[in-house]
């Protein structure tokens, strides 16, 4: 136990510490961590922590170059276990699916010592659409959600749409709780600032040549890991229709290969337009992504489901117009400052894109510049207002175990 010290905001970075996959979730983790370290909440000490194998320990600053948000694990046997006191807050910022379940008794013990428990919820997609994910991940995610819903004092989502989805899920399957403690649900929007997520740098010769080619015709940019829900295959079907009919338009895809997409990836690599009007950048640096946001004609957000849709506000941050599928979370984020489409197949999407390209040529496509968005400092303030000022959205139903 600690005595005579300010309360701690304990940020769980277990996944980031052990394996930084530079995924979208970990981009969020790094950026939110940087914002909270730069401007900690009044009266609190921000302390990054991680699963050290059966206990939580304080993470160690992993660089001396002034990069405040780079943390790692201590050497084996040299870990500093947490010392907690009533009033401390444990916040599951990272998506640490397995370690949270494995350490549920440890977290419950922290709670008995007066530490409040909060976790960040990005989406419920593995449960809502298990067909889009590997079965093992679906099972792990289900156990994780049941565990955090059992332990947490509050769950903070990345959008109101995600919060509503979570509440709908709990209406059908109320969390099992050992005591009649309220489970609060809130939300805080994500921020738009690649610089705050510790960007990678570098634009190689091949990428420079690609950038030069993009200026000759309109360019649609897709950002995100290739996975079924992102609907890259439907987009490629639509662009093939446009290209067959002589449309002068580029498609740039920025994102690594994910799961359940081997046929799509083979199709992209072998495509006759690859390197001509089709460009798949599997390992683009954040510096290159910055430049693509600046030089493209529109962001194409074709996902059939998202928790938030970070590329929309990153596009708005760069003044890049947004073409988005008409789903609730994109409406929440984009408002009147995006152009929305509905499409069941490539033909319908091709028709929608022709309409947008005509509007673009006439200078009538909606601009994104007035889209409301936060930087990461603002996102952190919104999150803290929910957690510390009790600005919760709703209380979830519960069931006593």
């Amino acid at each position: 136990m600690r005595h005579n010290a300010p309360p701690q905001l304990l940020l769980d970075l277990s996944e980031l510490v052990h394996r930084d996959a530079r995924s979208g979730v970990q981009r969020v983790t790094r950026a939110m961590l940087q914002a909270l370290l730069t401007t900690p909440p009044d009266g609190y000490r921000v302390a990054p922590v991680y699963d050290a194998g059966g206990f939580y320990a304080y993470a160690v600053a992993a660089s001396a170059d002034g990069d405040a948000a780079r943390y790692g694990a201590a050497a084996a046997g040299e870990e500093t276990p947490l010392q907690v006191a009533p009033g401390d807050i444990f916040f599951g910022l990272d998506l640490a699916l397995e370690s949270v379940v494995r350490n549920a008794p440890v977290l419950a013990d922290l709670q008995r010592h007066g530490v409040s428990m909060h976790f960040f919820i990005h989406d419920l997609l593995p449960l809502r659409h298990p067909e889009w994910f590997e079965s093992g991940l679906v099972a792990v995610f289900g156990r994780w959600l049941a565990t955090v819903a059992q332990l947490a004092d509050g769950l903070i989502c990345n959008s109101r749409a995600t919060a509503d989805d979570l509440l709908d899920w709990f209406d059908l399957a109320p969390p099992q709780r050992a005591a009649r403690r309220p489970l609060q649900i809130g939300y805080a929007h994500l921020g738009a600032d690649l610089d705050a997520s510790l960007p990678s740098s570098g634009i190689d010769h091949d990428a420079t040549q690609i950038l030069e080619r993009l200026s000759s015709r309109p360019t649609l940019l897709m950002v995100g890991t290739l996975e079924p829900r992102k609907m890259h295959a439907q987009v490629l079907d639509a662009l093939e229709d446009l290209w067959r009919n002589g449309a002068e338009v580029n498609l740039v895809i920025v994102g690594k290969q994910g799961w359940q997409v081997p046929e799509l990836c083979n199709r992209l690599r072998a495509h006759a337009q690859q390197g001509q009007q089709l460009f798949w950048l599997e390992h683009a640096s954040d510096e290159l992504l910055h430049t693509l946001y600046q030089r493209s004609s529109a962001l194409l957000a074709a996902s059939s489901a998202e928790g938030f849709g970070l590329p929309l506000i990153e596009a708005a941050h760069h003044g890049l117009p947004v073409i988005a599928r008409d789903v609730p979370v994109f409406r929440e984020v984009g408002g009147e400052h995006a152009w929305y489409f509905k499409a069941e197949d490539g033909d319908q999407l091709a028709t929608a894109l022709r309409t947008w390209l005509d509007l673009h040529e006439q200078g009538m496509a909606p601009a994104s510049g007035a889209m409301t968005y936060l930087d990461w400092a603002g996102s952190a303030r919104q999150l803290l207002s929910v957690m510390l000022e009790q600005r919760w959205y709703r209380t979830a139903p519960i069931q006593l175990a």
Side-chain angles (χ1 to χ4, degrees), residues 359-398:
L359 291 172
H360 174 68
E361 187 175 358
Q362 298 167 32
M364 297 175 62
S368 67
M371 189 183 298
T372 301
Y373 62 87
L374 303 170
D375 60 14
W376 282 107
S379 179
R381 285 193 297 271
Q382 197 173 90
L383 182 146
L384 291 172
S385 74
V386 173
M387 191 187 307
L388 302 183
E389 300 171 22
Q390 304 297 303
R391 296 187 177 182
W392 298 102
Y393 176 46
R394 282 176 53 191
T395 302
I398 62 170

Side-chain angles (χ1 to χ4, degrees), residues 305-326:
E306 286 284 357
F308 184 73
L310 190 57
L312 270 72
I313 56 171
E314 290 180 345
H317 183 71
H318 289 85
L320 179 66
V322 172
I323 305 169
R325 194 177 298 273
D326 196 354

Side-chain angles (χ1 to χ4, degrees), residues 27-28 30-32 34-35 190-199 286 290 293 310 313-315 317-318 373-379:
R27 269 174 63 200
V28 171
R30 291 193 304 271
M32 190 69 78
Q34 183 71 60
L190 304 183
D193 185 357
L194 279 171
D195 290 332
S197 60
L198 306 184
D286 291 320
H290 259 301
Y293 274 129
L310 190 57
I313 56 171
E314 290 180 345
H317 183 71
H318 289 85
Y373 62 87
L374 303 170
D375 60 14
W376 282 107
S379 179

Side-chain angles (χ1 to χ4, degrees), residues 97-138:
L97 299 178
E98 294 179 328
S99 71
V100 165
V101 174
R102 185 171 57 247
N103 290 314
V106 178
L107 294 169
D109 186 60
L110 291 176
Q111 203 165 35
R112 284 191 291 271
H113 283 86
V115 179
S116 63
M117 291 283 150
H118 300 80
F119 296 88
F120 202 51
I121 307 291
H122 293 270
D123 58 61
L124 272 68
L125 295 176
L127 300 181
R128 291 299 192 187
H129 296 280
E131 71 278 9
W132 292 343
F133 299 88
E134 302 293 342
S135 59
L137 174 63
V138 174

